[in-house]
Every structure is written in C-alpha cells, then in structure tokens.
Amino acid sequence: MKFTKMHGAGNDYVYVDCFSQSAPENAPELARQIAHRHFGVGGDGLILIRPSDSADARMQMFNADGSESEMCGNGIRCVAKFVYDHGIAKRDALKIETGAGVLDLALSVGSDGLVDQVTVDMGVPELVGPKVPTTIPTARDDQRVIAVPVEFAGRTLEVTCVSMGNPHCVIFVEEASDELVLGLGPKIESDPRFPNRINVEFVEVLSPTEVRQRTWERGSGETWACGTGASAVCVAGVLAGRTERKILNHLLGGDLTLEWIEQSDHVMMTGPATEVFSGEWPTR
C-alpha cells in the first residue's frame, strides 16, 4: 500500500490515496500500526483521501489509537494540497467532504507549482453545550458553556466549550505547562461530562490578537498543532472577552491565522501544508 507522510504546522498524519488504490480493509487497526512512532511510519493518525459524490475528495480521519474523528483542520489542508499537487483536482478552490460536512478551501500555489498555504472555511461553531457535547451545567439561557468554573482532579479551571465539527474544551491559563497539558489533559479528555471525550486546549493570551496554544488531542495525546482546536480558541477568546476576532496562534509546530467573521459567523483558518516523504507499507 502506497502512503504519503504530510504535516500541517507539525500535526502529522499518514495519508493514503484511495483514488489510485483500494482503501484499507481495517483502517482503525492500520491507524494504530502505521501511526506508531517506534514501530510504524509515525504520526498523529491516519487519513484516507477518498472519492466523494459531493466534493472533490473525502477525508476520513483516524486518530493514533484507531478511533475515528469527524474533522481535522490541519489534516484537511494537507488533503487539499495532495489533491492539487497530485492532479486529482487541479483548481485553487476545492471542496472537501468530512465527517463534519463539506468544507471550502482556497489554495495558495508557490512558484514551484505546489501548494504551500491553504485557507479553510471552518464553518459556524456550535456553542450549545449538549450539542458540543458536554453536560457541564451553565446558568445561561442559551446553554453556552462560556468561562464556567469546573473542577478537574481537584483543580478548578474556567472552561469554554466549542464544537468545530468535533468537540473542544478551551482553557485560558497563565502558563500552558507540562503539568497541565500532560498531567491534566488526559483526565479532562475522558471526563464523564464529555460524553464523546474531548480535545483540550490550554491557551496563553499574549495580546488581544496573539495567543500561544498547546493541545491534548482526543485519541492522540499532545499534538504539535490542532486546526480545529485553534479555530475553537479563536471563538472562545471572543466569547470569554480575551481576544479580538482575528488572531495569530502560535503552536508547537508553527503558526496559524484565525478569524471569526462577525457577518457570516464562519471561522476562517490559514496555515501551511507540507509533504514530507512517500513510501510503501506492507499489506501482509
């Protein structure tokens, strides 16, 4: 089976072109094996690039633990790059189908004829608690969970919950330390108040237009970037009164630019997409 290793701001996945070859029979098990950083290719998970009846391609994403996720903001930029660079659809505006719906992407092509930056319309955030989903109680009539104090493992933190097609818990902190990200992150991910588990963002506000983010990602552990998480942070920053609608987000693997557009309610994300190498994975 042929594969391509790609990353968006350090959020790396193994990609399989299912236009030119059959899709793997057991994708969850393949994800666990191929994403292993010691015994496999290594990555935050597996992404299948499949034909679609409603878009230029369909992205199917599996985390490193084999669980399937609805959406990946960094992954979809890499899917768009692959679709363009490998001639599946040679247009600078693409539609990609995901588990969270069909998204529009605008591609920036470099002087070498290859895509280097992609802007993704991440759509309208879901803010109603039960739809995120979370069972955290809130006194708000609209059921939004915004800066609500919640205790996790004996520590109280203010959380804002947002879905960008997948669930996020955004926590603004003075320092996004290892104690929080690696120690508390996995406990929050599997907290029973998040029925589908949750992605957790720990965010330092540098200014009203600039933040630094670390993410404990559902099913993958800490990742070097999270596009849906960065989008959720942009929304949460506005709701919690921490940031403006357009921000620069510094992640471990690079920077993303986000804007929550007031007129349309859509979140726009711009960032890099990089192809690293290709190879073959034994199917026996």
Side-chain angles (χ1 to χ4, degrees), residues 7 23 56 74 82 94 118 135 139 167 192 200 246 262 268 270 278:
H7 76 86
D56 295 294
N74 293 309
F82 189 97
L94 296 177
V118 179
T135 60
V200 191
K246 186 174 183 178
E262 189 168 6
M268 307 299 291
T270 301
S278 295

Side-chain angles (χ1 to χ4, degrees), residues 221-237:
E222 183 175 20
T223 55
W224 277 37
C226 180
T228 54
S231 301
V233 165
C234 180
V235 172

Side-chain angles (χ1 to χ4, degrees), residues 75-93:
I76 197 171
R77 294 201 313 276
C78 291
V79 168
K81 175 179 172 62
F82 189 97
V83 166
Y84 182 94
D85 288 356
H86 292 262
I88 295 172
K90 209 72 173 178
R91 294 188 296 277
D92 59 8

